[in-house]
Amino acid sequence: MAKRGPYEKGEAKRREILQVALEIFAAEGYRGTSLRKVAASCNLSLPGLMHYFASKEDLLVQVLRARDEGGRERWEAAEGVERHLERIREGARTPGLVELFVSMSAAGSDPEHPAHAFFAERYPQLRARIAEMVEESVAGGRMKASLPADRLATMLLAVVDGIQLQWLNDRSVDMEQPLKDALSLLERRDDG
């Protein structure tokens, strides 16, 4: 039987920090949240909190990773297009995480930034999943596609990312409708 050592305790504390940070950022926003508040909520000092992460940016990227991993089960429960719409709905419920996502995705364009690797891994995986959804919809007769599925996936993802940015600047913007509109352009309709 394996011993419960410092490594396992450290990993458990790291998971706790990420969960607390995820909840605080979701409720209070990226700009409105101090890492001191996250640390205090975990019964740590700021240096104690940072012991578990390479940098503040690393912590923020790990929060995004935890958001994606935690949401994957909920999103996968839905089928086809509905799973992607549910991701958007969840974003509307957690504006602080949308703000964090947009900020980190911009910062991640720098290959030296800790967010770069996260987004370099994330986008190909998302495009592949969306392309698979497109291919399944085309094969099932629910969607028509005059472009290859991978290119449609890139376009649909651009709609989602772009509407999040617009929504951050104007909360009256409906984040779900533009994706529904884009998908409606791809719906197969009987013309007879």
Side-chain angles (χ1 to χ4, degrees):
M1 187 166 188
K3 290 182 182 177
R4 183 174 163 95
Y7 177 78
E8 191 172 335
K9 287 180 185 178
E11 282 301 304
K13 190 63 171 180
R14 191 172 196 275
R15 285 190 303 273
E16 175 194 347
I17 292 166
L18 288 173
Q19 185 58 43
V20 166
L22 191 62
E23 291 168 7
I24 291 174
F25 281 115
E28 299 181 14
Y30 166 60
R31 303 234 185 266
T33 301
S34 77
L35 293 185
R36 288 188 195 288
K37 181 169 187 167
V38 174
S41 297
C42 295
N43 298 315
L44 294 169
S45 65
L46 184 57
L49 174 88
M50 294 314 299
H51 168 77
Y52 294 93
F53 301 93
S55 66
K56 175 184 175 182
E57 290 78 16
D58 177 48
L59 169 60
L60 297 175
V61 170
Q62 296 312 316
V63 166
L64 289 176
R65 191 178 302 279
R67 177 201 67 161
D68 281 1
E69 289 170 1
R72 193 164 289 127
E73 285 181 24
R74 291 187 306 279
W75 300 327
E76 295 300 325
E79 297 207 8
V81 171
E82 192 59 31
R83 99 177 23 147
H84 301 289
L85 292 173
E86 182 50 36
R87 288 181 104 143
I88 291 171
R89 291 179 197 124
E90 188 168 310
R93 292 187 299 267
T94 57
L97 294 176
V98 173
E99 184 180 300
L100 176 61
F101 174 83
V102 169
S103 297
M104 288 293 104
S105 64
S109 66
D110 176 358
E112 300 299 316
H113 194 279
H116 181 77
F118 171 73
F119 287 102
E121 172 187 308
R122 183 179 192 275
Y123 277 117
Q125 290 174 357
L126 270 176
R127 284 191 301 265
R129 281 194 291 246
I130 294 168
E132 183 179 314
M133 180 267 304
V134 168
E135 289 169 346
E136 288 171 1
S137 295
V138 169
R142 296 177 305 280
M143 189 180 281
K144 62 180 179 186
S146 57
L147 296 174
D150 61 326
R151 288 174 42 199
L152 284 172
T154 300
M155 288 172 46
L156 292 170
L157 195 50
V159 168
V160 171
D161 283 356
I163 201 61
Q164 288 182 94
L165 182 59
Q166 290 183 50
W167 179 78
L168 282 175
N169 289 288
D170 179 359
R171 299 294 166 93
S172 70
V173 171
D174 182 342
M175 283 202 295
E176 198 173 329
Q177 194 59 53
L179 181 57
K180 286 180 175 179
D181 292 343
L183 291 168
S184 75
L185 296 172
L186 300 172
E187 284 178 4
R188 183 173 299 279
R189 294 184 178 93
D190 292 330
D191 294 332

